[in-house]
Amino acid sequence: MRVCVIGTGYVGLVTGVCLSHIGHKVICIDNNEEKVKLMKSGQTPIYEPGLSDLMQSCMKSGKLEFTTDLGYGVDNSDILFIAVGTPALPTGDSDTRYVEAVARGIGAHLKEGYKVIVNKSTVPIGSGDWVQMIVLDGVSERQKAEGGSGSEEISAEFDVVSNPEFLREGSAVFDTFNPDRIVLGSNNQKALDMMAELYQPLVDRTFGEEEYKELPPVPIVMTDLNSAEMIKYAANSFLATKISFINEIANICDRVGADVVQVSKGIGLDSRIGSKFLQAGLGWGGSCFPKDVSALIHTADDYNYEAELLKSAVNVNKRQRLLVLEKLQQEIKILKGKTVGLLGLTFKPDTDDMRDAPALDLIEQLHRLGAKVKAYDPIVSQTGMRHGLANAIVETDLDRLADGCDALVLVTDWEQFRKIDYEQMAKLMNHAVIIDGRNFLDRQAAEKAGFRYVGIGH
Ligand code: NAD
């Protein structure tokens, strides 16, 4: 099928590349010329395991192209994905201006033939109908610009589908080929049928990992627009609340002398609960959970409902990020004039995404208290990314990080940190203290090397 994906970030680029790999002809569009230039040269503007090789092979096969030209994408596609960002506004609501610009632009280029316009971006509930309206506005603006009245019949027909994305950064390619489910929301059967055809190779698990090929077909949830949009918010809000729940249990464990790692194991084995998203730590962050939970709270507010549970999940998370400061103060007392080294900066391992990363809050708070902050991150230290890191020194290796530190804090559970040479690190530090913000490190090895090890409820 002929597909156009507008917005080539973590979601759009991965979607475009994977749809091309399963046999569709894909045009990826971005309005950032630098990004498009980079992708045309075969390079990915984001770090995502496996993406670069797959993208290059799709380009070679002639089934994947990149452009800034929206008109070209609209003319040459039957299915158009909107995959631009929907960041949070200061009010907590979603900023939908990028979606609006794309929808209007699609309308301005719609000429003839049937098109399906797909909301892949996470958008507030009710956005499906709103996108439909904006596309029609775009059509009539073009008609007026061409000297018409703006209310002429158009020969193009279109329907809007909500197809929320559930991929995880760090395993986005894997998740796209091995989804737990595909959600399609529309009030039009023809549009739903076209989407089902598009995803058929994924549903049949033709491209998934070997072990997944044995499983039954990927379930498709076909529903109305509003329910599909709500599924995305409900999924992220549930997962964020689950993490806040175990963090609350961890804080109680700390006080009563229980070990949250054992508690998680003990409750996670209950099939009604499940073990995923039950690891205590510094709390959730990233480009999705914070903004999606606050957008749902905001939507509920708009409809006169106070989402108390979700508000508590957010408050527990805010408190959790600052817990490290308390733990540092307990261990090294006054932070002013001390040096703290952060292990990891990105909001989770295997990504270069720093959006709403707990490390950023921590750096600001430590800086405010007069501490010097150093950091090492396997990706950030290599790429020299500095956004939001004005108050931290980014070191290029672990020895340089440890040198002169009064304490280390593990912020991101990168696999590489499992192999830390604690003896070498301890030699270089002023005080061998380590706060394990993800209960991830080898406590015994750290203590054997003379470290004072402090976990989260562990
Ligand atoms: P992103 O910020 O990484 O990428 C957005 C891209 O859209 C950028 O490359 C930007 O240049 C481009 N863009 C903006 N305006 C444009 C325009 N008018 N025309 C063409 N391109 C334009 O965003 P993302 O992380 O990929 O997220 C996209 C959406 O998917 C968001 O709504 C997000 O909530 C949702 N989502 C994200 C994830 C995730 O893990 N990142 C997972 C599920 C859902």
mmCIF file of all heavy atoms in Angstrom, residues 281-283 324 341-354 356-360 362-363 375-380 398 408-418 420 435-441:
data_model
loop_
_atom_site.group_PDB
_atom_site.id
_atom_site.type_symbol
_atom_site.label_atom_id
_atom_site.label_comp_id
_atom_site.label_asym_id
_atom_site.label_seq_id
_atom_site.Cartn_x
_atom_site.Cartn_y
_atom_site.Cartn_z
ATOM 1 N N GLY A 281 12.129 2.765 42.251
ATOM 2 C CA GLY A 281 13.276 3.575 41.844
ATOM 3 C C GLY A 281 12.983 5.054 41.952
ATOM 4 O O GLY A 281 12.201 5.485 42.800
ATOM 5 N N LEU A 282 13.627 5.792 41.061
ATOM 6 C CA LEU A 282 13.526 7.262 41.094
ATOM 7 C C LEU A 282 12.257 7.793 40.443
ATOM 8 O O LEU A 282 12.093 9.002 40.331
ATOM 9 C CB LEU A 282 14.690 7.866 40.306
ATOM 10 C CG LEU A 282 16.055 7.723 40.899
ATOM 11 C CD1 LEU A 282 17.083 8.399 40.021
ATOM 12 C CD2 LEU A 282 16.035 8.390 42.256
ATOM 13 N N GLY A 283 11.422 6.903 39.958
ATOM 14 C CA GLY A 283 10.161 7.362 39.368
ATOM 15 C C GLY A 283 10.203 7.418 37.859
ATOM 16 O O GLY A 283 11.242 7.224 37.242
ATOM 17 N N VAL A 324 16.292 11.063 46.423
ATOM 18 C CA VAL A 324 17.745 10.905 46.333
ATOM 19 C C VAL A 324 18.453 11.992 47.147
ATOM 20 O O VAL A 324 19.463 11.738 47.799
ATOM 21 C CB VAL A 324 18.192 10.959 44.855
ATOM 22 C CG1 VAL A 324 19.676 11.208 44.736
ATOM 23 C CG2 VAL A 324 17.820 9.669 44.153
ATOM 24 N N GLY A 341 28.307 12.439 41.519
ATOM 25 C CA GLY A 341 28.425 11.899 40.154
ATOM 26 C C GLY A 341 27.182 11.102 39.785
ATOM 27 O O GLY A 341 26.755 10.232 40.539
ATOM 28 N N LEU A 342 26.593 11.414 38.644
ATOM 29 C CA LEU A 342 25.398 10.681 38.209
ATOM 30 C C LEU A 342 25.765 9.620 37.187
ATOM 31 O O LEU A 342 26.450 9.909 36.193
ATOM 32 C CB LEU A 342 24.371 11.640 37.581
ATOM 33 C CG LEU A 342 23.947 12.853 38.412
ATOM 34 C CD1 LEU A 342 22.832 13.626 37.687
ATOM 35 C CD2 LEU A 342 23.482 12.444 39.808
ATOM 36 N N LEU A 343 25.305 8.408 37.432
ATOM 37 C CA LEU A 343 25.488 7.319 36.456
ATOM 38 C C LEU A 343 24.223 7.270 35.615
ATOM 39 O O LEU A 343 23.166 6.840 36.078
ATOM 40 C CB LEU A 343 25.675 5.998 37.195
ATOM 41 C CG LEU A 343 26.999 5.834 37.947
ATOM 42 C CD1 LEU A 343 26.868 4.798 39.055
ATOM 43 C CD2 LEU A 343 28.109 5.437 36.990
ATOM 44 N N GLY A 344 24.305 7.747 34.385
ATOM 45 C CA GLY A 344 23.147 7.744 33.490
ATOM 46 C C GLY A 344 22.405 9.071 33.522
ATOM 47 O O GLY A 344 22.294 9.709 34.573
ATOM 48 N N LEU A 345 21.946 9.479 32.346
ATOM 49 C CA LEU A 345 21.209 10.743 32.228
ATOM 50 C C LEU A 345 19.877 10.569 31.504
ATOM 51 O O LEU A 345 18.896 11.230 31.824
ATOM 52 C CB LEU A 345 22.048 11.774 31.443
ATOM 53 C CG LEU A 345 23.225 12.387 32.194
ATOM 54 C CD1 LEU A 345 24.164 13.105 31.231
ATOM 55 C CD2 LEU A 345 22.741 13.365 33.260
ATOM 56 N N THR A 346 19.846 9.682 30.515
ATOM 57 C CA THR A 346 18.623 9.527 29.714
ATOM 58 C C THR A 346 17.510 8.967 30.603
ATOM 59 O O THR A 346 17.784 8.339 31.620
ATOM 60 C CB THR A 346 18.852 8.583 28.527
ATOM 61 O OG1 THR A 346 19.369 7.348 29.010
ATOM 62 C CG2 THR A 346 19.823 9.180 27.523
ATOM 63 N N PHE A 347 16.243 9.151 30.183
ATOM 64 C CA PHE A 347 15.140 8.788 31.084
ATOM 65 C C PHE A 347 15.018 7.277 31.244
ATOM 66 O O PHE A 347 14.404 6.803 32.187
ATOM 67 C CB PHE A 347 13.826 9.437 30.621
ATOM 68 C CG PHE A 347 13.035 8.661 29.616
ATOM 69 C CD1 PHE A 347 12.010 7.814 30.019
ATOM 70 C CD2 PHE A 347 13.325 8.761 28.263
ATOM 71 C CE1 PHE A 347 11.276 7.089 29.085
ATOM 72 C CE2 PHE A 347 12.592 8.042 27.332
ATOM 73 C CZ PHE A 347 11.568 7.205 27.753
ATOM 74 N N LYS A 348 15.591 6.527 30.307
ATOM 75 C CA LYS A 348 15.668 5.067 30.440
ATOM 76 C C LYS A 348 16.844 4.594 29.595
ATOM 77 O O LYS A 348 17.369 5.371 28.796
ATOM 78 C CB LYS A 348 14.352 4.411 30.017
ATOM 79 C CG LYS A 348 14.016 4.606 28.546
ATOM 80 C CD LYS A 348 12.622 4.150 28.236
ATOM 81 C CE LYS A 348 12.580 2.709 27.884
ATOM 82 N NZ LYS A 348 11.317 2.288 27.287
ATOM 83 N N PRO A 349 17.282 3.331 29.747
ATOM 84 C CA PRO A 349 18.418 2.880 28.944
ATOM 85 C C PRO A 349 18.072 2.699 27.469
ATOM 86 O O PRO A 349 16.895 2.648 27.104
ATOM 87 C CB PRO A 349 18.783 1.529 29.571
ATOM 88 C CG PRO A 349 17.709 1.156 30.496
ATOM 89 C CD PRO A 349 16.802 2.318 30.702
ATOM 90 N N ASP A 350 19.100 2.618 26.635
ATOM 91 C CA ASP A 350 18.964 2.338 25.190
ATOM 92 C C ASP A 350 18.218 3.406 24.412
ATOM 93 O O ASP A 350 17.607 3.122 23.381
ATOM 94 C CB ASP A 350 18.300 0.968 24.943
ATOM 95 C CG ASP A 350 19.201 -0.157 25.382
ATOM 96 O OD1 ASP A 350 20.417 -0.037 25.169
ATOM 97 O OD2 ASP A 350 18.697 -1.129 25.982
ATOM 98 N N THR A 351 18.211 4.623 24.916
ATOM 99 C CA THR A 351 17.636 5.728 24.154
ATOM 100 C C THR A 351 18.537 6.952 24.358
ATOM 101 O O THR A 351 19.344 6.985 25.294
ATOM 102 C CB THR A 351 16.190 6.037 24.589
ATOM 103 O OG1 THR A 351 15.679 7.088 23.769
ATOM 104 C CG2 THR A 351 16.094 6.475 26.035
ATOM 105 N N ASP A 352 18.387 7.931 23.459
ATOM 106 C CA ASP A 352 19.088 9.207 23.662
ATOM 107 C C ASP A 352 18.096 10.274 24.110
ATOM 108 O O ASP A 352 18.410 11.444 24.136
ATOM 109 C CB ASP A 352 19.794 9.641 22.363
ATOM 110 C CG ASP A 352 18.824 9.743 21.192
ATOM 111 O OD1 ASP A 352 17.640 9.420 21.352
ATOM 112 O OD2 ASP A 352 19.275 10.150 20.098
ATOM 113 N N ASP A 353 16.883 9.858 24.475
ATOM 114 C CA ASP A 353 15.819 10.817 24.819
ATOM 115 C C ASP A 353 16.015 11.344 26.239
ATOM 116 O O ASP A 353 16.081 10.568 27.195
ATOM 117 C CB ASP A 353 14.457 10.124 24.686
ATOM 118 C CG ASP A 353 13.325 11.122 24.537
ATOM 119 O OD1 ASP A 353 13.535 12.314 24.844
ATOM 120 O OD2 ASP A 353 12.228 10.709 24.125
ATOM 121 N N MET A 354 16.075 12.667 26.349
ATOM 122 C CA MET A 354 16.267 13.299 27.664
ATOM 123 C C MET A 354 15.002 14.016 28.122
ATOM 124 O O MET A 354 15.013 14.694 29.145
ATOM 125 C CB MET A 354 17.386 14.353 27.561
ATOM 126 C CG MET A 354 18.774 13.813 27.378
ATOM 127 S SD MET A 354 19.383 13.043 28.890
ATOM 128 C CE MET A 354 19.306 14.404 30.028
ATOM 129 N N ASP A 356 12.021 15.193 29.956
ATOM 130 C CA ASP A 356 11.515 14.962 31.312
ATOM 131 C C ASP A 356 12.237 13.815 32.034
ATOM 132 O O ASP A 356 11.616 13.029 32.759
ATOM 133 C CB ASP A 356 9.996 14.723 31.288
ATOM 134 C CG ASP A 356 9.339 15.268 32.553
ATOM 135 O OD1 ASP A 356 10.069 15.544 33.521
ATOM 136 O OD2 ASP A 356 8.118 15.390 32.574
ATOM 137 N N ALA A 357 13.546 13.735 31.830
ATOM 138 C CA ALA A 357 14.332 12.693 32.497
ATOM 139 C C ALA A 357 14.516 13.076 33.969
ATOM 140 O O ALA A 357 14.801 14.237 34.274
ATOM 141 C CB ALA A 357 15.688 12.550 31.819
ATOM 142 N N PRO A 358 14.362 12.112 34.910
ATOM 143 C CA PRO A 358 14.584 12.435 36.324
ATOM 144 C C PRO A 358 15.946 13.081 36.574
ATOM 145 O O PRO A 358 16.079 13.918 37.468
ATOM 146 C CB PRO A 358 14.492 11.067 37.005
ATOM 147 C CG PRO A 358 13.574 10.275 36.133
ATOM 148 C CD PRO A 358 13.869 10.736 34.722
ATOM 149 N N ALA A 359 16.955 12.733 35.766
ATOM 150 C CA ALA A 359 18.298 13.306 35.961
ATOM 151 C C ALA A 359 18.262 14.837 35.887
ATOM 152 O O ALA A 359 18.999 15.520 36.608
ATOM 153 C CB ALA A 359 19.263 12.761 34.895
ATOM 154 N N LEU A 360 17.412 15.376 35.038
ATOM 155 C CA LEU A 360 17.378 16.838 34.865
ATOM 156 C C LEU A 360 16.914 17.519 36.147
ATOM 157 O O LEU A 360 17.494 18.533 36.570
ATOM 158 C CB LEU A 360 16.462 17.221 33.689
ATOM 159 C CG LEU A 360 16.909 16.710 32.318
ATOM 160 C CD1 LEU A 360 15.880 17.064 31.250
ATOM 161 C CD2 LEU A 360 18.276 17.276 31.935
ATOM 162 N N LEU A 362 17.146 16.273 39.148
ATOM 163 C CA LEU A 362 18.171 16.027 40.156
ATOM 164 C C LEU A 362 19.324 17.019 39.999
ATOM 165 O O LEU A 362 19.822 17.590 40.986
ATOM 166 C CB LEU A 362 18.659 14.579 39.966
ATOM 167 C CG LEU A 362 19.329 13.917 41.124
ATOM 168 C CD1 LEU A 362 18.492 14.008 42.379
ATOM 169 C CD2 LEU A 362 19.553 12.438 40.772
ATOM 170 N N ILE A 363 19.736 17.245 38.763
ATOM 171 C CA ILE A 363 20.832 18.181 38.506
ATOM 172 C C ILE A 363 20.437 19.577 39.014
ATOM 173 O O ILE A 363 21.216 20.242 39.704
ATOM 174 C CB ILE A 363 21.173 18.232 36.988
ATOM 175 C CG1 ILE A 363 21.828 16.922 36.562
ATOM 176 C CG2 ILE A 363 22.089 19.422 36.663
ATOM 177 C CD1 ILE A 363 21.956 16.735 35.056
ATOM 178 N N ALA A 375 28.450 13.873 35.460
ATOM 179 C CA ALA A 375 27.597 12.786 34.980
ATOM 180 C C ALA A 375 28.315 12.012 33.881
ATOM 181 O O ALA A 375 29.139 12.565 33.147
ATOM 182 C CB ALA A 375 26.282 13.346 34.437
ATOM 183 N N TYR A 376 27.977 10.731 33.801
ATOM 184 C CA TYR A 376 28.433 9.923 32.676
ATOM 185 C C TYR A 376 27.233 9.123 32.173
ATOM 186 O O TYR A 376 26.496 8.522 32.972
ATOM 187 C CB TYR A 376 29.553 8.949 33.084
ATOM 188 C CG TYR A 376 29.840 7.959 31.979
ATOM 189 C CD1 TYR A 376 30.587 8.338 30.873
ATOM 190 C CD2 TYR A 376 29.297 6.671 32.020
ATOM 191 C CE1 TYR A 376 30.794 7.457 29.813
ATOM 192 C CE2 TYR A 376 29.496 5.780 30.970
ATOM 193 C CZ TYR A 376 30.243 6.182 29.873
ATOM 194 O OH TYR A 376 30.435 5.312 28.831
ATOM 195 N N ASP A 377 27.033 9.148 30.862
ATOM 196 C CA ASP A 377 25.936 8.381 30.253
ATOM 197 C C ASP A 377 26.470 7.762 28.964
ATOM 198 O O ASP A 377 27.108 8.456 28.162
ATOM 199 C CB ASP A 377 24.759 9.324 29.931
ATOM 200 C CG ASP A 377 23.588 8.575 29.315
ATOM 201 O OD1 ASP A 377 23.604 8.327 28.091
ATOM 202 O OD2 ASP A 377 22.647 8.239 30.055
ATOM 203 N N PRO A 378 26.223 6.465 28.742
ATOM 204 C CA PRO A 378 26.815 5.816 27.563
ATOM 205 C C PRO A 378 26.482 6.506 26.243
ATOM 206 O O PRO A 378 27.306 6.500 25.330
ATOM 207 C CB PRO A 378 26.208 4.408 27.609
ATOM 208 C CG PRO A 378 25.877 4.173 29.039
ATOM 209 C CD PRO A 378 25.502 5.516 29.596
ATOM 210 N N ILE A 379 25.304 7.114 26.127
ATOM 211 C CA ILE A 379 24.956 7.778 24.872
ATOM 212 C C ILE A 379 25.281 9.274 24.931
ATOM 213 O O ILE A 379 25.962 9.808 24.056
ATOM 214 C CB ILE A 379 23.455 7.591 24.550
ATOM 215 C CG1 ILE A 379 23.220 6.208 23.973
ATOM 216 C CG2 ILE A 379 22.942 8.635 23.574
ATOM 217 C CD1 ILE A 379 23.573 6.042 22.507
ATOM 218 N N VAL A 380 24.822 9.931 25.992
ATOM 219 C CA VAL A 380 24.989 11.397 26.060
ATOM 220 C C VAL A 380 26.479 11.756 26.040
ATOM 221 O O VAL A 380 26.893 12.707 25.366
ATOM 222 C CB VAL A 380 24.291 11.964 27.318
ATOM 223 C CG1 VAL A 380 24.502 13.468 27.426
ATOM 224 C CG2 VAL A 380 22.805 11.645 27.285
ATOM 225 N N LEU A 398 33.993 6.437 33.096
ATOM 226 C CA LEU A 398 33.611 6.239 34.500
ATOM 227 C C LEU A 398 34.708 6.679 35.476
ATOM 228 O O LEU A 398 34.408 7.154 36.568
ATOM 229 C CB LEU A 398 33.258 4.763 34.730
ATOM 230 C CG LEU A 398 31.902 4.337 34.148
ATOM 231 C CD1 LEU A 398 31.725 2.823 34.233
ATOM 232 C CD2 LEU A 398 30.748 5.031 34.868
ATOM 233 N N LEU A 408 28.078 8.754 44.447
ATOM 234 C CA LEU A 408 27.560 8.468 43.104
ATOM 235 C C LEU A 408 26.071 8.161 43.227
ATOM 236 O O LEU A 408 25.628 7.628 44.249
ATOM 237 C CB LEU A 408 28.251 7.235 42.511
ATOM 238 C CG LEU A 408 29.737 7.351 42.174
ATOM 239 C CD1 LEU A 408 30.267 5.972 41.744
ATOM 240 C CD2 LEU A 408 29.978 8.373 41.068
ATOM 241 N N VAL A 409 25.317 8.492 42.172
ATOM 242 C CA VAL A 409 23.895 8.132 42.142
ATOM 243 C C VAL A 409 23.616 7.418 40.829
ATOM 244 O O VAL A 409 23.873 7.980 39.755
ATOM 245 C CB VAL A 409 22.986 9.387 42.224
ATOM 246 C CG1 VAL A 409 21.515 8.980 42.174
ATOM 247 C CG2 VAL A 409 23.281 10.212 43.474
ATOM 248 N N LEU A 410 23.106 6.192 40.886
ATOM 249 C CA LEU A 410 22.691 5.527 39.643
ATOM 250 C C LEU A 410 21.294 6.048 39.283
ATOM 251 O O LEU A 410 20.344 5.873 40.036
ATOM 252 C CB LEU A 410 22.628 4.009 39.794
ATOM 253 C CG LEU A 410 22.153 3.385 38.471
ATOM 254 C CD1 LEU A 410 23.312 2.798 37.684
ATOM 255 C CD2 LEU A 410 21.084 2.357 38.679
ATOM 256 N N VAL A 411 21.217 6.707 38.109
ATOM 257 C CA VAL A 411 19.944 7.309 37.692
ATOM 258 C C VAL A 411 19.287 6.461 36.602
ATOM 259 O O VAL A 411 18.080 6.280 36.594
ATOM 260 C CB VAL A 411 20.177 8.754 37.170
ATOM 261 C CG1 VAL A 411 18.867 9.390 36.754
ATOM 262 C CG2 VAL A 411 20.869 9.598 38.234
ATOM 263 N N THR A 412 20.094 5.948 35.664
ATOM 264 C CA THR A 412 19.545 5.168 34.538
ATOM 265 C C THR A 412 20.186 3.783 34.545
ATOM 266 O O THR A 412 21.413 3.673 34.628
ATOM 267 C CB THR A 412 19.861 5.864 33.193
ATOM 268 O OG1 THR A 412 19.659 7.263 33.333
ATOM 269 C CG2 THR A 412 18.991 5.319 32.075
ATOM 270 N N ASP A 413 19.359 2.743 34.424
ATOM 271 C CA ASP A 413 19.894 1.381 34.553
ATOM 272 C C ASP A 413 20.434 0.848 33.223
ATOM 273 O O ASP A 413 19.952 -0.167 32.707
ATOM 274 C CB ASP A 413 18.847 0.432 35.159
ATOM 275 C CG ASP A 413 17.446 0.617 34.588
ATOM 276 O OD1 ASP A 413 17.204 1.620 33.891
ATOM 277 O OD2 ASP A 413 16.579 -0.238 34.836
ATOM 278 N N TRP A 414 21.450 1.528 32.697
ATOM 279 C CA TRP A 414 22.137 1.033 31.498
ATOM 280 C C TRP A 414 22.844 -0.277 31.844
ATOM 281 O O TRP A 414 23.522 -0.356 32.872
ATOM 282 C CB TRP A 414 23.191 2.044 31.040
ATOM 283 C CG TRP A 414 22.676 3.254 30.332
ATOM 284 C CD1 TRP A 414 22.378 4.463 30.894
ATOM 285 C CD2 TRP A 414 22.441 3.399 28.920
ATOM 286 N NE1 TRP A 414 21.951 5.341 29.922
ATOM 287 C CE2 TRP A 414 21.976 4.716 28.699
ATOM 288 C CE3 TRP A 414 22.566 2.544 27.826
ATOM 289 C CZ2 TRP A 414 21.653 5.200 27.442
ATOM 290 C CZ3 TRP A 414 22.242 3.022 26.568
ATOM 291 C CH2 TRP A 414 21.784 4.338 26.387
ATOM 292 N N GLU A 415 22.753 -1.269 30.970
ATOM 293 C CA GLU A 415 23.361 -2.585 31.192
ATOM 294 C C GLU A 415 24.857 -2.449 31.515
ATOM 295 O O GLU A 415 25.397 -3.176 32.336
ATOM 296 C CB GLU A 415 23.129 -3.437 29.935
ATOM 297 C CG GLU A 415 23.198 -4.934 30.122
ATOM 298 C CD GLU A 415 22.363 -5.486 31.274
ATOM 299 O OE1 GLU A 415 21.242 -5.022 31.488
ATOM 300 O OE2 GLU A 415 22.878 -6.404 31.956
ATOM 301 N N GLN A 416 25.496 -1.501 30.856
ATOM 302 C CA GLN A 416 26.934 -1.282 31.035
ATOM 303 C C GLN A 416 27.320 -1.068 32.507
ATOM 304 O O GLN A 416 28.408 -1.422 32.934
ATOM 305 C CB GLN A 416 27.306 -0.041 30.209
ATOM 306 C CG GLN A 416 28.726 0.403 30.350
ATOM 307 C CD GLN A 416 28.986 1.658 29.492
ATOM 308 O OE1 GLN A 416 28.350 1.904 28.497
ATOM 309 N NE2 GLN A 416 29.965 2.440 29.922
ATOM 310 N N PHE A 417 26.386 -0.511 33.310
ATOM 311 C CA PHE A 417 26.710 -0.216 34.708
ATOM 312 C C PHE A 417 26.726 -1.464 35.592
ATOM 313 O O PHE A 417 27.110 -1.405 36.751
ATOM 314 C CB PHE A 417 25.749 0.833 35.282
ATOM 315 C CG PHE A 417 25.843 2.179 34.604
ATOM 316 C CD1 PHE A 417 24.726 2.977 34.449
ATOM 317 C CD2 PHE A 417 27.053 2.643 34.117
ATOM 318 C CE1 PHE A 417 24.806 4.215 33.821
ATOM 319 C CE2 PHE A 417 27.152 3.870 33.472
ATOM 320 C CZ PHE A 417 26.025 4.666 33.326
ATOM 321 N N ARG A 418 26.324 -2.598 35.029
ATOM 322 C CA ARG A 418 26.422 -3.843 35.805
ATOM 323 C C ARG A 418 27.881 -4.240 35.993
ATOM 324 O O ARG A 418 28.225 -4.970 36.911
ATOM 325 C CB ARG A 418 25.707 -4.983 35.072
ATOM 326 C CG ARG A 418 24.220 -4.952 35.245
ATOM 327 C CD ARG A 418 23.645 -6.338 34.994
ATOM 328 N NE ARG A 418 22.226 -6.271 34.728
ATOM 329 C CZ ARG A 418 21.290 -6.176 35.676
ATOM 330 N NH1 ARG A 418 21.640 -6.142 36.947
ATOM 331 N NH2 ARG A 418 20.021 -6.112 35.357
ATOM 332 N N ILE A 420 30.513 -2.341 36.595
ATOM 333 C CA ILE A 420 31.339 -1.301 37.219
ATOM 334 C C ILE A 420 32.489 -1.931 38.025
ATOM 335 O O ILE A 420 32.282 -2.911 38.746
ATOM 336 C CB ILE A 420 30.465 -0.442 38.169
ATOM 337 C CG1 ILE A 420 29.586 0.508 37.363
ATOM 338 C CG2 ILE A 420 31.307 0.325 39.163
ATOM 339 C CD1 ILE A 420 28.685 1.364 38.224
ATOM 340 N N ILE A 435 24.284 5.697 45.775
ATOM 341 C CA ILE A 435 22.825 5.589 45.912
ATOM 342 C C ILE A 435 22.332 4.899 44.637
ATOM 343 O O ILE A 435 22.506 5.435 43.541
ATOM 344 C CB ILE A 435 22.151 6.989 46.009
ATOM 345 C CG1 ILE A 435 22.890 7.920 46.973
ATOM 346 C CG2 ILE A 435 20.649 6.861 46.316
ATOM 347 C CD1 ILE A 435 22.663 7.700 48.432
ATOM 348 N N ASP A 436 21.754 3.731 44.796
ATOM 349 C CA ASP A 436 21.291 2.969 43.629
ATOM 350 C C ASP A 436 19.824 3.325 43.361
ATOM 351 O O ASP A 436 18.907 2.722 43.931
ATOM 352 C CB ASP A 436 21.452 1.461 43.927
ATOM 353 C CG ASP A 436 21.080 0.594 42.734
ATOM 354 O OD1 ASP A 436 20.618 1.154 41.720
ATOM 355 O OD2 ASP A 436 21.262 -0.639 42.828
ATOM 356 N N GLY A 437 19.627 4.303 42.503
ATOM 357 C CA GLY A 437 18.279 4.826 42.254
ATOM 358 C C GLY A 437 17.376 3.891 41.483
ATOM 359 O O GLY A 437 16.211 4.228 41.226
ATOM 360 N N ARG A 438 17.884 2.718 41.085
ATOM 361 C CA ARG A 438 17.033 1.755 40.362
ATOM 362 C C ARG A 438 17.117 0.350 40.962
ATOM 363 O O ARG A 438 16.678 -0.612 40.326
ATOM 364 C CB ARG A 438 17.455 1.685 38.879
ATOM 365 C CG ARG A 438 17.367 3.007 38.134
ATOM 366 C CD ARG A 438 15.948 3.372 37.777
ATOM 367 N NE ARG A 438 15.877 4.712 37.182
ATOM 368 C CZ ARG A 438 14.756 5.391 37.017
ATOM 369 N NH1 ARG A 438 13.621 4.889 37.397
ATOM 370 N NH2 ARG A 438 14.750 6.580 36.484
ATOM 371 N N ASN A 439 17.737 0.220 42.126
ATOM 372 C CA ASN A 439 17.929 -1.116 42.742
ATOM 373 C C ASN A 439 18.468 -2.101 41.711
ATOM 374 O O ASN A 439 17.972 -3.217 41.552
ATOM 375 C CB ASN A 439 16.604 -1.636 43.313
ATOM 376 C CG ASN A 439 16.138 -0.821 44.496
ATOM 377 O OD1 ASN A 439 16.930 -0.089 45.099
ATOM 378 N ND2 ASN A 439 14.866 -0.922 44.827
ATOM 379 N N PHE A 440 19.522 -1.665 41.018
ATOM 380 C CA PHE A 440 19.986 -2.374 39.829
ATOM 381 C C PHE A 440 21.399 -2.928 40.023
ATOM 382 O O PHE A 440 21.773 -3.923 39.409
ATOM 383 C CB PHE A 440 19.955 -1.357 38.682
ATOM 384 C CG PHE A 440 20.549 -1.795 37.384
ATOM 385 C CD1 PHE A 440 19.829 -2.616 36.522
ATOM 386 C CD2 PHE A 440 21.814 -1.371 36.996
ATOM 387 C CE1 PHE A 440 20.365 -3.005 35.308
ATOM 388 C CE2 PHE A 440 22.351 -1.752 35.791
ATOM 389 C CZ PHE A 440 21.629 -2.575 34.947
ATOM 390 N N LEU A 441 22.176 -2.291 40.893
ATOM 391 C CA LEU A 441 23.599 -2.625 40.996
ATOM 392 C C LEU A 441 23.822 -3.846 41.889
ATOM 393 O O LEU A 441 22.925 -4.273 42.619
ATOM 394 C CB LEU A 441 24.352 -1.417 41.546
ATOM 395 C CG LEU A 441 24.250 -0.152 40.679
ATOM 396 C CD1 LEU A 441 24.811 1.058 41.419
ATOM 397 C CD2 LEU A 441 24.973 -0.353 39.350
#
